[in-house]
Amino acid sequence: MTVEKLHEFLKKSQEPKGYYFNRDTTMVYQLLEGLLKNKDRYGYMCCPCRLAAADREWDRDVICPCVYSKEDIAEYGSCYCGLYVSKDWNEDKIEHRYVPERRPPEKVFEL
């Protein structure tokens, strides 16, 4: 799958849920490339902003869109990596704030 096809597919499937792509298209395409690389690497599209364990069950919470994104977007207007945002975030109607990591510490890998 190409980045363009992934973009088209995710836009159609996620916008009805209130998940909009960040207006920074360069960043969006970089993150989508990361999702595709992770799909090739692990067999599933885990968040490119987090280190995966290469264990689908362990990483289930960070398969994009991650389980934390709904709460992040509701509270901050953006998910952790900034791929998905609310309409208000994209239209500068709300402040763009840092989104803290919600993943439990035991699942966060350190380099």
Side-chain angles (χ1 to χ4, degrees), residues 23 85-96:
R23 67 178 182 227
V85 299
S86 68
K87 267 187 174 182
D88 286 346
W89 190 97
N90 258 347
E91 295 172 0
D92 291 324
K93 292 180 180 175
I94 60 173
E95 180 184 2
H96 295 192

